[in-house]
Amino acid sequence: MVKIPPFAVEQWMDEYETTPGVLNISETCAASISVDQLVLLNRLKTLAPPPVDFGRAMTYGAIRGSEALRRGIAKTYSEDDDDGSPPPDQVAIQPDDVIVTQGAIGANYLVFYSLVGPGDHVVCVHPTYQQLYSVPASLGAEVSLWPLRAADGFVPDVAALEGLIRPNTKMIVINNPNNPTGAVIPRDVLARIADVARRHDIILFSDEVYRPLYHSLTIPTSTPPPSALALGYDRTVVTGSMSKAWALAGIRVGWLASRDGGILAAAAAARDYTAISVSQVDDQIAAYALGDDVRPQLRARNAALARDNLAMLDAFVAEHARLGLCEWVRPQAGTTAFVRFYRYESDDNNEGGKGERGRRPVDDVAFCRDLLETTKVMLVPGSRCFGGGGESGVQDFRGYVRFGYASETEVLEQALERLGAYVKKHLT
């Protein structure tokens, strides 16, 4: 029987996100959009065809995804900026380089299931989405975690990567933009990672589910980095979805893309055992959203939402950081932030009574539970959902919580007001 640890972040979300009256600022998708709202974004307005042809017979459809959808996905790799202009390192991929899956979670699993097994070694950045290191371990691979440090802005240290490579290293796994930190791997660092992979003939796997939400870049990453597909290394595979950056989690559409025919063939063969095709209704909605008449407006809507909401969260963190109650590395992209909270308390271990007041990281699990119980504000504890796992590089992230700040602005505003009152009452 396959041994796989509980998927901590998904179990936390499942347990608490349906709490009555919850103000969920832990959700990682840009605020979800309805199909009716999607239609309103279409630049052709009433002249546009409907998103779904209900007269179409519901066959399995195109096994790897419709041509229209795969064409729309391919176009996202040459449009990184809010206005849709090509980035400096644009990459041209073709619809045949794309396989559509049930969400990015399905794409990620398919990558590991088809390419990794017993005797292989995988290096994975940490912290990141637990699936990216727990699944290869469950398939019999050895996993080394590659620590991302706050002191480095959560940007990977390529010298540290060199020290993790072994003769049997099969895959390097990165996540750009990163969940939970919102950090971005700059173009030059990506190039160095690809060089390591190339020299050792290792597959480079990049989870790019938050791309292209590069909404708040600062120097030295003021230019959006390219997809890993643009690094000139063919043994690269990337994944994405309609959920995070495109605000359509409910249609459960994701994809993997590669210009390596062997990687695509292996994934396609494995996929025959897991999903013949995606829902044809979902495929049509996704193709509509990524079509030329909707994609630019949808991308701009989600980027503006994330940028404006991040400004609100930035003001909250700055106010409470001045009191010594929290700190962070400000996110530059995506929809998530990793904030560390501190509590002021007395050291009672000194002889003669109460000692000096000191600042210590909060118990983030207890903090998140009590916050939800008393205020209905939902956050994700870092130590529970992003700590541990793997063979090396384990970090516990005590005191950290993950925000998902791209919710509806009114929800974030109300939640931050309640959170601020809670923090000042309970942490000082």
Side-chain angles (χ1 to χ4, degrees):
M1 182 177 178
V2 173
K3 299 294 184 182
I4 189 165
F7 202 154
V9 70
E10 296 299 339
Q11 292 196 354
W12 183 274
M13 297 292 288
D14 183 57
E15 182 173 358
Y16 295 114
E17 66 184 342
T18 56
T19 301
V22 68
L23 292 173
N24 187 352
I25 54 170
S26 61
E27 176 57 65
T28 56
C29 302
S32 297
I33 193 169
S34 70
V35 176
D36 286 344
Q37 292 171 319
L38 199 63
V39 170
L40 294 176
L41 291 178
N42 194 309
R43 67 180 180 86
L44 298 180
K45 304 301 180 185
T46 58
L47 298 178
V52 179
D53 177 4
F54 287 106
R56 181 184 299 181
M58 286 291 105
T59 66
Y60 285 111
I63 301 304
R64 295 195 183 191
S66 70
E67 172 76 16
L69 174 54
R70 290 183 292 116
R71 185 170 59 248
I73 291 168
K75 286 188 176 182
T76 69
Y77 288 94
S78 59
E79 297 178 348
D80 277 354
D81 295 337
D82 289 355
D83 61 0
S85 60
D89 299 283
Q90 68 174 313
V91 55
I93 67 168
Q94 303 304 315
D96 286 347
D97 298 328
V98 177
I99 298 176
V100 177
T101 63
Q102 277 89 353
I105 198 167
N108 292 344
Y109 193 92
L110 192 60
V111 168
F112 293 124
Y113 183 72
S114 59
L115 299 174
V116 170
D120 292 331
H121 174 242
V122 173
V123 177
C124 180
V125 294
H126 186 253
T128 191
Y129 195 51
Q130 184 183 334
Q131 183 194 31
L132 297 180
Y133 49 89
S134 288
V135 168
S138 77
L139 295 171
E142 297 178 273
V143 177
S144 295
L145 299 184
W146 178 13
L148 306 178
R149 309 291 189 189
D152 300 324
F154 292 116
V155 174
D157 179 350
V158 182
L161 171 63
E162 294 273 13
L164 294 172
I165 300 299
R166 303 177 186 175
N168 64 331
T169 302
K170 182 72 173 290
M171 183 179 288
I172 298 168
V173 183
I174 59 176
N175 178 205
N176 196 31
N178 178 262
N179 171 18
T181 67
V184 170
I185 307 176
R187 199 301 176 196
D188 63 321
V189 177
L190 281 173
R192 291 169 59 205
I193 293 170
D195 285 343
V196 173
R198 183 183 294 106
R199 282 190 283 105
H200 295 278
D201 194 28
I202 297 168
I203 295 168
L204 176 59
F205 170 27
S206 180
D207 178 332
E208 297 176 350
V209 73
Y210 293 95
R211 186 185 168 277
L213 286 185
Y214 296 110
H215 48 76
S216 302
L217 294 171
T218 57
I219 295 173
T221 53
S222 55
T223 301
S227 166
L229 291 172
L231 300 174
Y233 179 52
D234 282 348
R235 296 198 74 200
T236 297
V237 58
V238 305
T239 55
S241 89
M242 299 302 299
S243 299
K244 311 301 183 181
W246 300 102
L248 286 164
I251 63 173
R252 307 308 305 131
V253 169
W255 61 85
L256 64 87
S258 179
R259 291 187 291 182
D260 185 301
I263 289 176
L264 288 173
R271 185 175 177 274
D272 290 339
Y273 285 94
T274 60
I276 297 173
S277 64
V278 300
S279 156
Q280 293 307 289
V281 173
D282 293 346
D283 185 297
Q284 290 182 66
I285 295 172
Y288 183 92
L290 294 184
D292 293 343
D293 297 325
V294 177
R295 184 179 65 253
Q297 295 82 254
L298 180 57
R299 181 182 54 245
R301 175 253 190 196
N302 296 340
L305 176 69
R307 184 168 50 247
D308 294 347
N309 282 9
L310 180 57
M312 292 175 54
L313 182 57
D314 193 5
F316 173 91
V317 171
E319 176 186 353
H320 294 87
R322 285 193 292 270
L323 302 174
L325 300 178
C326 66
E327 63 185 12
W328 70 345
V329 175
R330 190 181 191 275
Q332 298 194 58
T335 66
T336 63
F338 216 31
V339 181
R340 196 175 202 186
F341 283 93
Y342 292 88
R343 180 190 306 276
Y344 281 94
E345 54 189 28
S346 298
D347 181 0
D348 296 327
N349 295 325
N350 293 341
E351 289 188 20
K354 185 174 290 188
E356 294 184 359
R357 281 168 55 81
R359 190 180 79 141
R360 298 172 180 81
V362 299
D363 178 335
D364 48 279
V365 175
F367 174 83
C368 288
R369 283 182 173 150
D370 189 59
L371 178 69
L372 181 63
E373 182 178 340
T374 58
T375 71
K376 300 297 184 184
V377 173
M378 180 179 172
L379 293 169
V380 167
S383 67
R384 167 70 64 86
C385 298
F386 295 97
E391 176 184 301
S392 63
V394 175
Q395 304 177 85
D396 64 21
F397 297 114
R398 181 179 176 86
Y400 279 93
V401 301
R402 186 188 72 183
F403 284 76
Y405 56 82
S407 60
E408 292 83 355
T409 300
E410 299 78 13
V411 171
L412 180 64
E413 186 174 27
Q414 188 177 358
L416 291 179
E417 183 178 348
R418 294 186 191 182
L419 176 61
Y422 178 93
V423 164
K424 288 174 182 176
K425 179 178 179 181
H426 294 277
L427 301 188
T428 58

